[in-house]
Each structure stands twice: as structure tokens, then as C-alpha cells.
């Protein structure tokens, strides 16, 4: 139960949404943008969050659409995970998103909400990192466009009050060969012990992972090892483990050592998939 009154506002456009946010901030009150609401509701009930105002942005048109042209697929930040899966524009997205939560919850979780959420997993960001997609953000003064690699470091670096509006994905990359693995401890809909996506683009393997660390990661230096033709498969795996394992975490789901062993096996299977 949420034990306080919360103002709920449904703005008609981005400008109005940001103005509401700024007005509540000026009054030293806590506004939150609301799309799927799964984390906000859960954390509010637990007392982790205490919002004074929820700004429902999921009915703003450009945030709710998937648009496809000859070159790009544009996904609004308030498009749900199930809507992306059901659109079937990419097996990479469909397969890597299907393990997130269960079908009912995926009807509420939005891609923007998942990426901007407080939980460390943020699994929907894995293909976005690999494809180094562009993100449109509504900031003070209007919409600006950024490559995700320039504004993501463990989390998306945006200013308070800014609104992520759209994700722009190069269509030509979506038929690339890929390998995906997600490991859990309890049930298949649990948060991941480790979730890893590999995609081969222009004969180079790209990789992103989450769950094993306290944040999602794509590391170009790891990819250089994956693609080093002077190294044997076992040498690649050992070099990657040596570089990355200090960042692996332990928690009630799995120990650091268990995660490292899982990752070794995943690396082996992924390299076998792509031919070493």
C-alpha cells in the first residue's frame, strides 16, 4: 500500500510534461515520469521512493509508436516489451526480450522505463549498446540526438527532467548472426544471474552483458580480444575472464565464482557458435 496522496497528471505533449516536472521541482517536491510504472509502484510501496507527482507520459504520441522505414526502426520510449516482441522486426530483440519478467508484466514494462529504472539489470539495453543506436532526448530547448555510447556509462547520463523519446536502430544490422544466453537461479522469469548477447557485425563479434555486474556493460576492449585472430579460443576466454572477473558480483542468487564459471561456458559456446 502507498501511504500518501500522489498527484497524477497526464500531459498532452512533451513540452507540457517537462513544464509539470519543473514546476514540482521548484516547489521542492518529487515528480516522476510514469510509463509502465512497475518499478515506481513497487518501490513506493516499499518506501524506497516517495513521489509527490506522477507524470503519465505514455499517451504522448511519439513515445508510443514503432516506425519502420527503409533505413531505420524508431521505437518510442513508452513502447512495451511485448509490443516490441510482437512486432517481430528482429529476432535479436524478440529473443533477448522474451526472458524478461512474465508475459503479463511485459505488457507494462516499457523499453524506456526499463533502461532508466533503478534496478541494475536493464536487460533491454543489451542490443541497443551493441548496435550503438541513436537516442532522441527532449531537453530544455528541444529534442537532441545522441549516440548511446556517448551518454551511457553504467547508466544513461541525462539531466533531471529530460525525457527519452525515441531509440533509432539501423535496420541493416537486425539480420546479423547472434548468440544469446540468459541464466537464472530460481525460475526462468527471475532476474538474471547473467544475461549476455553477442552479435556478429561486419565479421566482428560485439558483446554486451548484464546481471553478473551491478550494471550493464559493453566494453570495446573485450571485443578486441574476442576478435583477435592471433589468439586461440581458450586464450581469448582466459584473457576476457582476467580482465572482467574483478567486476563480477556476489549476491543471494549466485556467488562471484559461480558467475565467472557461467560466463566462461557462455563465452565458449558463443565462440563455438561463430566458429571460434
Amino acid at each position: 500500500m502507498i501511504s500518501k496522496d500522489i498527484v497524477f497528471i497526464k500531459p498532452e505533449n512533451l513540452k507540457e510534461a517537462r513544464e509539470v516536472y519543473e514546476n514540482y521541482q521548484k516547489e521542492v517536491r518529487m515528480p516522476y515520469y510514469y510509463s509502465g510504472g512497475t518499478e515506481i509502484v513497487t518501490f513506493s510501496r516499499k518506501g524506497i521512493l516517495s513521489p509527490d507527482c506522477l507524470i503519465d507520459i505514455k499517451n504522448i504520441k511519439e513515445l508510443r509508436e514503432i516506425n519502420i522505414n527503409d533505413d531505420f526502426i524508431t521505437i518510442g520510449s513508452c513502447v512495451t516489451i511485448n509490443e516490441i516482441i510482437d512486432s517481430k522486426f528482429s529476432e535479436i530483440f524478440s529473443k533477448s526480450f522474451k526472458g524478461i519478467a512474465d508475459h503479463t508484466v511485459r505488457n507494462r514494462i516499457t523499453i524506456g522505463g526499463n533502461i532508466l529504472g533503478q534496478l541494475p539489470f536493464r536487460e533491454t539495453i543489451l542490443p541497443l549498446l551493441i548496435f550503438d543506436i541513436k537516442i532522441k532526448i527532449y531537453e530544455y530547448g528541444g529534442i537532441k540526438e545522441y549516440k548511446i555510447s556517448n551518454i551511457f556509462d553504467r547508466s544513461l547520463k541525462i539531466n533531471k527532467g529530460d525525457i527519452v523519446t525515441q531509440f533509432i536502430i539501423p535496420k541493416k544490422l537486425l539480420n546479423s548472426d547472434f548468440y544469446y544466453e540468459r541464466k537464472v537461479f530460481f525460475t526462468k522469469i527471475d532476474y538474471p544471474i547473467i544475461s549476455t548477447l553477442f552479435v556478429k557485425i561486419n565479421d566482428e563479434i560485439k558483446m554486451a552483458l548484464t546481471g553478473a555486474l551491478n550494471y550493464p556493460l559493453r566494453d570495446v576492449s573485450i571485443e578486441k580480444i574476442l576478435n583477435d585472430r592471433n589468439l586461440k579460443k581458450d586464450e581469448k576466454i582466459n584473457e576476457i575472464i582476467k580482465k572482467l572477473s574483478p567486476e563480477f558480483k556476489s549476491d543471494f542468487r549466485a556467488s562471484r565464482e559461480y558467475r565467472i564459471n557461467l560466463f566462461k561456458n557462455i563465452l565458449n559456446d558463443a565462440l563455438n557458435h561463430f566458429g571460434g
Side-chain angles (χ1 to χ4, degrees):
M1 172 180 259
I2 300 173
S3 59
K4 65 179 289 187
D5 292 331
I6 300 173
V7 176
F8 192 85
I9 298 174
K10 296 182 75 169
E12 295 183 359
N13 52 57
L14 293 167
K15 183 174 183 292
E16 183 182 344
R18 187 178 173 90
E19 286 174 351
V20 171
Y21 190 99
E22 290 174 351
N23 288 338
Y24 269 80
Q25 269 204 321
K26 288 174 184 176
E27 296 175 8
V28 197
R29 302 175 74 184
M30 293 298 295
Y32 287 87
Y33 293 122
Y34 181 94
S35 53
T38 52
E39 284 192 27
I40 288 176
V41 171
T42 300
F43 288 164
S44 294
R45 285 173 175 165
K46 291 181 177 180
I48 298 171
L49 296 180
S50 183
D52 296 303
C53 175
L54 295 180
I55 306 163
D56 186 350
I57 59 173
K58 63 180 177 289
N59 289 324
I60 297 174
K61 186 175 184 293
E62 56 263 51
L63 309 189
R64 287 288 303 125
E65 296 179 334
I66 298 177
N67 294 310
I68 302 174
N69 62 30
D70 291 340
D71 298 316
F72 297 99
I73 292 177
T74 301
I75 304 175
S77 63
C78 290
V79 174
T80 69
I81 293 177
N82 271 345
E83 287 171 333
I84 294 170
I85 293 169
D86 293 343
S87 71
K88 298 180 180 179
F89 66 77
S90 168
E91 188 182 356
I92 294 172
F93 278 79
S94 295
K95 186 167 184 179
S96 60
F97 284 13
K98 275 184 179 177
I100 301 172
D102 61 24
H103 188 274
T104 300
V105 177
R106 287 198 303 269
N107 282 329
R108 293 183 59 195
I109 299 175
T110 63
I111 184 170
N114 182 259
I115 289 168
L116 290 164
Q118 296 193 34
L119 292 172
F121 311 101
R122 290 171 245 148
E123 292 178 78
T124 59
I125 204 167
L126 297 185
L128 305 185
L129 290 174
I130 285 177
F131 294 138
D132 199 12
I133 60 100
K134 292 180 180 178
I135 299 180
K136 286 186 176 182
I137 300 174
Y138 185 77
E139 303 177 349
Y140 183 78
I143 290 179
K144 295 184 180 178
E145 189 173 287
Y146 301 90
K147 291 185 75 171
I148 195 170
S149 57
N150 292 333
I151 61 170
F152 186 88
D153 181 13
R154 303 192 177 194
S155 63
L156 205 59
K157 306 302 182 183
I158 65 173
N159 296 318
K160 287 185 176 181
D162 289 351
I163 303 171
V164 174
T165 64
Q166 293 173 323
F167 304 94
I168 305 168
I169 305 157
K171 194 175 178 182
K172 65 182 180 180
L173 302 178
L174 295 177
N175 291 322
S176 303
D177 190 16
F178 74 99
Y179 182 84
Y180 171 72
E181 191 67 69
R182 185 181 195 269
K183 299 293 187 181
V184 296
F185 178 68
F186 294 112
T187 66
K188 66 180 182 179
I189 62 171
D190 190 22
Y191 295 122
I193 294 173
I194 184 169
S195 181
T196 314
L197 177 65
F198 302 78
V199 182
K200 197 166 192 177
I201 301 171
N202 298 326
D203 208 33
E204 297 283 320
I205 301 171
K206 315 291 184 182
M207 185 198 79
L209 77 157
T210 189
L213 318 171
N214 283 314
Y215 49 88
L217 175 73
R218 181 189 170 205
D219 187 330
V220 174
S221 67
I222 297 293
E223 293 174 355
K224 286 181 179 178
I225 299 171
L226 279 172
N227 294 291
D228 189 339
R229 291 171 174 80
N230 295 315
L231 295 176
K232 296 178 181 178
K233 181 178 68 174
D234 288 347
E235 291 173 328
K236 292 179 182 181
I237 293 171
N238 289 335
E239 285 294 314
I240 291 170
I241 293 298
K242 181 180 178 181
K243 182 176 180 60
L244 199 53
S245 63
E247 295 293 314
F248 275 41
K249 68 180 181 181
S250 290
D251 59 21
F252 70 93
R253 288 185 176 86
S255 67
R256 173 177 170 272
E257 291 75 20
Y258 184 68
R259 283 186 165 94
I260 290 170
N261 285 326
L262 278 180
F263 187 46
K264 282 182 181 178
N265 292 335
I266 291 170
L267 284 169
N268 183 73
D269 292 343
L271 288 167
N272 284 340
H273 173 83
F274 294 115

